[in-house]
Amino acid sequence: MPKKMMPKKESDNRVLVFDTTLRDGEQSPGASMTLGEKRRIAETLDEMGVDVIEAGFPIASDGDFEAVREIANLVKGARVCGLARAGEADIRRAHEALRHAKRPRIHTFISTSPVHRKHKLQMEAEEVLDAVKRSVSLARSLTEDVEWSPEDATRTEHDFLCRCIEAAIEAGASTINIPDTVGYSVPDEIFDLFRMVRERVPNSDKAVFSIHCHNDLGLAVANSLAAIRGGARQVECTINGLGERAGNAALEEIVMALNVRSDRMPYETGVETTQIAKASKLVSAITAFPVQYNKAIVGRNAFSHESGIHQDGMIKNVQTYEIMSPETVGVKSSSLVMGKLSGRNAFRKKLAELGYSLGDNALSVAFKRFKALADKKRHIYDEDIIALVDDSFARGDRTIRFVSLEVQTGSEGPNRARLALEVSGEERVASVEGNGAVDAVFRAIREIVPHRARLGLYQVHAVTGGTDAQAEVSVRLEADGRSAYGRGAHTDTLVASARGYISALNKLLGQESDTLPAVGGRGI
C-alpha cells in the first residue's frame, strides 16, 4: 500500500540550486573551457549563492580531474560535486578529486529505462538494481554527501524506478535526482511523477528530491517548476541553459520565475539575483555561445521596448510592460530601443535623456527625419539621434536646402554628380563631373551657388558601427578671413557630405548677407 504523505511544513519552501554549467554545460559541442575559465565561473557561481556546483566528471580526463580538484580547493560556500558512473573506478576518482573540498558531494548514476538497459548497458533490471546498491554504498563510505540519479528516469517503469530509489536511499544517498534526460516529459507528467515517487517509496522522507531537465521540447524550465510543485527541493540547471543538444533548464529563468511568481509558487532560493546578468555574460564570453536576443531574463532585448505603444506605456508606468525590474537581475535599466515602430512620445523622452529640449515644430522635423532614418537603418543608436538632431539644428531656416543627389562613380570614371538644391525657394539642378565622387558633389554645389569660399576641412567618421552606420561629415569653409563649420549626417556618405557643405555655406553666406546671388552671379 502506498504510504500517506506527511503534510508539507510551512518552512519547507527552500529550493536548493544545483548548477551544472561546468559539467553538463561543457558537454555542449564547442563549449569546452580551460581550467582558468572554469575557475572564474566557479567563483562567480559561489558569489551568486548557488548551493551546489557540479564541477566536472573527474574520470573523463586528466583535465576534468584537475578542474574538479582546483574548484574543490577554491570554493568556500557551495558544495562541490563530481559526477561518477556506477563503477568503482569512477567513484574513487571522483572522491580523490574532491578530497580537499570544504563540502564535497559524489553524484553517481546509472541508466534505468528499458531502452537504456537493453541497448546501452546490456543489463537486466535486477543487475541494475544491484549496481545501484553497490555504487551508492561505496560512495557513501567515502563521503557523507551522496546524490544518486536514475538516468532516463522519465522513461523508466514506475515500479522499477521506485525500487531503485528505495535501494539508493537505503544505501546512503541523501539526494535523489530524477532526470528527464532526453527532454521527453511534459509538466503535468513530471508533477505526477514526483508525487507518485514520494508517496510510494517508503523511505522517501529521508532524502531531498531533485529535478534535472533537458530542453529537447523547450519544456525544461516548465518541467523543473512542475517538479518543485510536486515536491522537488533541488533543481539542477545551467547558466544560459547551456547543455547537450537543446540545452538544460536555465538557472536564471527558474530563479526569477520563483522570485516573480511567489504568489503561485511560494518557494525561495539562495541565489543573489543581481549577479545573474554578470554570470550570463561571463559564460557566454568564455564559451563563445551567444545569448539569443530575445532570451528570457538575460537576452539583450529582455528589458528593451521598441513598439510605440509599449514605449508609451513604459513612459507612463513601467509596470505596464515589465513584470520585474531590470536591476533585480543586474541590468542597469530598461531601454527604449529607437526604431521604425517607436512613437513620438518615446522619441521626445529619448531626446530629453540626451539633453535636448525641442519645441513642437523642431520636434516634428526631427521626428520625421528619425522615421526616415529608421526605415533605412536596422539599429538606431543614441549617437545616430544626436547626429540627426544636430544636423537638423544646423539646417535651421536656411536659404539653401538639399533636395536630392544622384552619383555615378567607379574606378574607371567618369565621376558625375546630379544635385538638386532649393535656393531661395527655387529648385536648381546641376550635373557636374569631378575628380572623384566627393569632388563632383562639391563642384555641383558651386555650380548652383557660385562662391569663392575655400574648403578648409573635410572630415568623415561613422557615428556607430556596422555597414549601415550613419556617416557624419564635418566641413569648414573659409573666405576673406571668415570661416564657418557645417555638419551633415546620413547613411549615405555622399549625401552627408553635401549636407555638411551646404550647412557651412549657409552659415558663411549669413555672415555676409541675407540674400544670395542669382545664378551666374559672382558671389563671395
Side-chain angles (χ1 to χ4, degrees), residues 231-480:
R233 289 299 176 267
Q234 177 179 281
V235 60
E236 307 196 359
C237 44
T238 62
I239 300 295
N240 298 338
L242 195 65
E244 290 189 270
R245 303 185 311 279
N248 286 31
L251 179 149
E252 59 277 3
E253 295 178 22
I254 293 169
V255 168
M256 291 311 297
L258 296 178
N259 183 288
V260 172
R261 293 310 310 271
S262 58
D263 58 324
R264 297 302 298 268
M265 297 178 288
Y267 313 106
E268 60 185 30
T269 71
V271 171
E272 175 51 62
T273 63
T274 58
Q275 300 294 310
I276 284 176
K278 170 185 171 183
S280 171
K281 290 175 183 176
L282 176 64
V283 171
S284 178
I286 286 175
T287 60
F289 275 43
V291 177
Q292 67 189 62
Y293 283 4
N294 63 334
K295 167 79 167 61
I297 315 299
V298 293
R300 172 171 156 179
N301 292 344
F303 297 97
S304 299
H305 308 269
E306 182 173 343
S307 165
I309 295 172
H310 287 215
Q311 290 176 340
D312 186 59
M314 285 290 295
I315 291 168
K316 292 171 179 173
N317 188 315
V318 295
Q319 293 182 352
T320 55
Y321 288 103
E322 284 189 351
I323 60 172
M324 70 194 93
S325 69
E327 293 84 359
T328 59
V329 298
V331 175
K332 185 177 179 181
S333 63
S334 303
S335 61
L336 301 183
V337 179
M338 305 309 295
K340 65 181 182 179
L341 300 178
S342 297
R344 182 186 179 94
N345 199 18
F347 183 66
R348 185 196 298 273
K349 185 175 187 295
K350 173 60 73 173
L351 290 180
E353 292 174 358
L354 297 174
Y356 294 97
S357 178
L358 304 187
D360 289 343
N361 290 339
L363 178 66
S364 295
V365 172
F367 184 62
K368 183 177 180 180
R369 292 196 65 200
F370 160 73
K371 282 290 194 177
L373 176 63
D375 280 336
K376 301 175 183 177
K377 194 173 189 295
R378 179 175 297 177
H379 301 296
I380 306 295
Y381 299 94
D382 288 357
E383 294 86 351
D384 290 312
I385 296 173
I386 291 170
L388 179 150
V389 175
D390 284 351
D391 184 45
S392 294
F393 282 155
R395 293 168 78 191
D397 294 325
R398 304 174 305 191
T399 306
I400 309 171
R401 296 181 184 277
F402 175 88
V403 176
S404 65
L405 173 67
E406 295 177 11
V407 177
Q408 177 186 344
T409 188
S411 60
E412 302 301 323
N415 296 286
R416 176 176 290 274
R418 184 182 185 280
L419 177 68
L421 300 178
E422 184 183 287
V423 182
S424 300
E426 176 189 352
E427 185 171 313
R428 304 176 183 178
V429 179
S431 184
V432 179
E433 289 187 7
N435 185 21
V438 174
D439 184 57
V441 171
F442 289 175
R443 285 175 181 267
I445 296 173
R446 295 178 70 89
E447 177 80 14
I448 295 172
V449 186
H451 58 274
R452 298 191 305 274
R454 182 178 64 85
L455 182 65
L457 171 73
Y458 173 73
Q459 191 173 65
V460 182
H461 78 273
V463 174
T464 57
T467 56
D468 63 350
Q470 280 198 103
E472 186 176 76
V473 174
S474 298
V475 171
R476 184 178 72 241
L477 295 179
E478 301 169 346
D480 301 329

Side-chain angles (χ1 to χ4, degrees), residues 192-203:
D192 291 340
L193 178 63
F194 273 80
R195 292 295 297 267
M196 179 276 296
V197 167
R198 294 176 63 229
E199 289 176 355
R200 288 184 54 178
V201 174
N203 53 1

